[in-house]
Amino acid sequence: MKKSLILIATLGGIVLGGCKKKFDELGSNPNLPEKVPASLLLNGVETTVGGLQRPWGLEQRWNQFACCNYNYYGNQEYNWGGATLYYTTLKNVLKMEEEAIRGGAVAVNPYSALGKFFRAYFFYEMTMRVGDLPMKEALAGTENLTPRYDTQKEIFIQVLKWLEESNTDLTALIGSANNTLAGDFLYKNDLKKWQKAVNTFRLRVLVSLSRKTADADLAVAASFTAIMNNKVKYPVMESMGDNLQFVWVNPFNKYPVNPDNFGFDATRYNMSSTNISLLTALKDPRVFAIAEPAGSQLKAGYLPSDHAAYIGASPAEDLADMSTKAGFDNGAGYTPGKYSFYGRYRYYRTYTAENTIIVGYPEMCFNIAEAINAGWIGGSAEDWYKKGIQASISFYGIRDGINDFYYLKAGGKVTESGDYINFKVNFDFATYYSQPAVTYAGNNPAGRDQILKQKYLAFFQHSGYEAYYNYRRTGIPAFAAGGPGTGNSGLIPKRFQYPGTERTTNGANLSAALQRQYSGSDNINASMWVIQ
């Protein structure tokens, strides 16, 4: 009997062992790779970065660059809920670093150097949306399902540390034998350009901390000075050719507005007064490229080359009123509207339109000008201010001399050679700059106001929420508020709420963070640390 039990147990072990082996084999899906090249993970991370900059999306309405005039397609309301956070992408950054090492890379390699930049980039973006966040204990997977929240100050200190380390690593890699990078479609594997982007982004982060210059732990002004006084150690962007930008490619990544969706929504959106009124007040040529003359203004006798022909709607306006005033063009008949539509020649005519800047040279120029204006560093704020304006204007192909612009005629077709009406504008930068409203007023509040307004104009359809972040920090330019169109009781909110999943999966730590920051309420109108 004893032998029988032993035999049965032995046979059972053999059977169970066989079953275990088959089960393990079945648990491995040959169609899902368990190991992914670092280059492929980098490609995915960069795609997410590009997605954060999507032009003509909701964030650009909240930046008050454009308006939706038709409730089927949306509105301008700031009734914000939970923010989109990027922990999944950050896990892919960690995996990218791991796979680079597994593939034979040494500890300091291009993927680890860029990994530090991406950590800084995503944590900056996330904290600017909500405030405090899990950082040090985040990304541990099942080892820690309830990470504590780091303060926003701690996050900024770490972001700046990552950027410093990224620059140091890139310096070591450039010219070394360990600098092989693949999968980078943003800079085509050029580490020198990445190093410029890292340091230029760091200037953005430091300027965002302008209310914290007295904090010795952050050393905002000293850090800005260190970068500007040592361009060998900290190279920054030198021209538009250094822009970190997302290039739209047909058919893989079509520009968001294009001939495919023209018939659905081209007249369902119009320009915002916050943007257009500033352009027209400055007699700025960029308005001719990005917008079309309002039909009612043409009917009243204005020429398309007259700045007065361009009118934007207030984002605070009641949506029904905006819809009535916008006019429409269905090809069978045209009702001239009060407001300017998008520049359909530029944006709907092709599938690629224009590149979208993630971190760019014009912004950098204005950030440096602002730092000089504030007394952080020496130098000529006016020189950097002028460079920023000239760079932004050049983005639209506008040069001194005669420039050709186009708008779509009523009932016209949107194609490469569609029914566009040409008009010419003579532009001279010296004349433009000589206007009292444009000429730099000096290192004083009036000069700062000019810098910030020009930076806002340069952000048009670029850099995600940066135009809003700058408004939130400075109040410049004034955003339209107080009416029914913006919702939120007429207020421009100061933050997003935390995602709902945090309440169910990490509720205790979330509650502690809310109590520490916002008296316990996840209030979108409460001020986070960085703007206090």
Side-chain angles (χ1 to χ4, degrees):
M1 183 70 177
K2 187 175 180 182
K3 285 184 178 180
S4 298
L5 288 173
I6 293 172
L7 180 61
I8 292 170
T10 303
L11 290 170
I14 294 171
V15 172
L16 289 173
C19 288
K20 182 178 186 302
K21 184 177 180 182
K22 290 180 179 178
F23 180 79
D24 289 343
E25 290 175 352
L26 290 172
S28 178
N29 185 348
N31 296 316
L32 290 176
E34 297 177 359
K35 298 176 182 178
V36 180
S39 59
L40 188 59
L41 288 161
L42 172 61
N43 192 279
V45 171
E46 291 186 352
T47 299
T48 301
V49 172
L52 267 67
Q53 327 302 319
R54 191 171 180 83
W56 304 105
L58 265 173
E59 61 267 40
Q60 302 301 343
R61 283 183 239 161
W62 292 327
N63 286 337
Q64 299 204 353
F65 287 135
C67 297
C68 178
N69 61 46
Y70 189 58
N71 61 7
Y72 182 83
Y73 289 95
N75 53 54
Q76 284 64 251
E77 294 183 3
Y78 289 94
N79 297 319
W80 287 352
T84 299
L85 302 180
Y86 297 94
Y87 286 106
T88 299
T89 303
L90 283 162
K91 289 179 182 178
N92 287 335
V93 171
L94 296 183
K95 188 64 176 174
M96 175 186 74
E97 296 168 343
E98 292 171 4
E99 289 299 313
I101 297 296
R102 188 188 64 80
V106 296
V108 177
N109 61 76
Y111 298 100
S112 66
L114 294 188
K116 290 171 182 174
F117 167 77
F118 289 126
R119 292 172 197 236
Y121 184 88
F122 284 113
F123 270 106
Y124 166 83
E125 183 61 39
M126 294 192 301
T127 193
M128 289 292 275
R129 296 185 185 190
V130 296
D132 295 1
L133 282 168
M135 180 185 63
K136 294 174 186 175
E137 296 182 3
L139 309 178
T142 56
E143 295 178 14
N144 188 352
L145 296 175
T146 55
R148 75 172 182 85
Y149 279 61
D150 296 275
T151 66
Q152 191 169 51
K153 177 179 174 177
E154 290 171 325
I155 293 169
F156 269 99
I157 289 173
Q158 182 61 62
V159 163
L160 292 170
K161 184 173 183 288
W162 277 323
L163 293 171
E164 175 72 27
E165 292 173 350
S166 180
N167 176 70
T168 299
D169 290 351
L170 286 166
T171 297
L173 288 165
I174 293 170
S176 77
N178 303 313
N179 64 0
T180 302
L181 180 68
D184 169 29
F185 63 81
L186 292 177
Y187 273 138
K188 303 294 189 293
N189 308 311
D190 188 334
L191 295 183
K192 291 182 179 179
K193 287 197 172 183
W194 268 113
Q195 189 175 25
K196 292 180 180 180
V198 166
N199 293 315
T200 300
F201 178 71
R202 189 173 171 189
L203 296 182
R204 173 193 286 182
V205 175
L206 290 168
V207 166
S208 75
L209 291 164
S210 65
R211 296 192 181 188
K212 303 298 179 182
T213 53
D215 194 317
D217 296 330
L218 294 164
V220 174
S223 296
F224 207 104
T225 300
I227 295 170
M228 295 305 299
N229 286 353
N230 194 343
K231 298 294 181 59
V232 174
K233 182 177 180 180
Y234 300 108
V236 296
M237 293 179 179
E238 300 175 77
S239 69
M240 293 292 279
D242 290 328
N243 287 339
L244 179 61
Q245 60 188 4
F246 190 85
V247 179
W248 302 91
V249 179
N250 182 45
F252 306 106
N253 292 299
K254 298 178 181 179
Y255 194 77
V257 294
N258 58 62
D260 290 347
N261 51 42
F262 168 79
F264 295 98
D265 57 24
T267 59
R268 303 305 188 185
Y269 300 94
N270 48 255
M271 306 304 290
S272 163
S273 60
T274 307
N275 180 47
I276 295 297
S277 295
L278 182 55
L279 287 167
T280 56
L282 299 176
K283 300 190 184 311
D284 197 294
R286 285 170 284 189
V287 73
F288 304 128
I290 68 171
E292 293 192 353
S296 61
Q297 295 297 90
L298 293 178
K299 187 176 181 180
Y302 288 99
L303 298 174
S305 56
D306 294 332
H307 284 89
Y310 298 80
I311 299 178
S314 168
E317 184 176 38
D318 179 80
L319 187 60
D321 290 342
M322 188 186 300
S323 181
T324 299
K325 296 174 184 176
F328 62 90
D329 182 354
N330 60 13
Y334 180 68
T335 299
K338 179 179 178 179
Y339 301 131
S340 295
F341 294 128
Y342 299 176
R344 290 176 284 186
Y345 177 83
R346 183 174 186 87
Y347 296 111
Y348 279 99
R349 181 173 52 95
T350 72
Y351 291 94
T352 52
E354 63 192 25
N355 300 335
T356 300
I357 298 172
I358 301 167
V359 179
Y361 177 73
E363 177 199 354
M364 185 201 75
C365 293
F366 295 123
N367 285 339
I368 294 171
E370 185 179 347
I372 298 171
N373 179 280
W376 296 1
I377 57 175
S380 172
E382 182 174 24
D383 285 350
W384 286 105
Y385 168 71
K386 288 176 72 173
K387 288 177 183 178
I389 298 172
Q390 289 172 310
S392 178
I393 289 175
S394 74
F395 177 82
Y396 298 96
I398 301 170
R399 302 288 187 271
D400 281 2
I402 302 298
N403 293 267
D404 285 298
F405 298 99
Y406 302 84
Y407 67 96
L408 187 69
K409 73 177 184 181
K413 296 180 180 179
V414 174
T415 63
E416 287 279 2
S417 57
D419 302 320
Y420 303 105
I421 298 174
N422 169 252
F423 64 99
K424 299 180 184 296
V425 175
N426 186 19
F427 174 70
D428 175 64
F429 182 79
T431 301
Y432 170 79
Y433 189 76
S434 68
Q435 298 177 91
V438 181
T439 304
Y440 186 60
N443 294 340
N444 51 47
R448 180 173 181 261
D449 181 271
Q450 292 173 309
I451 293 167
L452 291 166
K453 285 178 177 176
Q454 287 286 351
K455 180 158 65 166
Y456 173 78
L457 295 176
F459 275 137
F460 181 77
Q461 303 306 321
H462 299 304
S463 302
Y465 286 103
E466 278 304 309
Y468 161 75
Y469 295 153
N470 274 260
Y471 158 77
R472 183 180 64 182
R473 176 175 64 91
T474 68
I476 301 170
F479 275 24
T486 51
N488 190 36
S489 300
L491 301 174
I492 305 297
K494 297 178 180 177
R495 57 180 294 273
F496 286 86
Q497 292 182 327
Y498 288 98
T501 52
E502 278 295 280
R503 292 175 176 79
T504 56
T505 61
N506 198 14
N509 285 318
L510 172 61
S511 295
L514 288 173
Q515 189 62 47
R516 181 171 63 226
Q517 299 174 94
Y518 311 121
S519 302
S521 174
D522 200 358
N523 182 2
I524 65 174
N525 298 311
S527 295
M528 59 178 64
W529 171 86
V530 75
I531 58 171
Q532 291 175 357

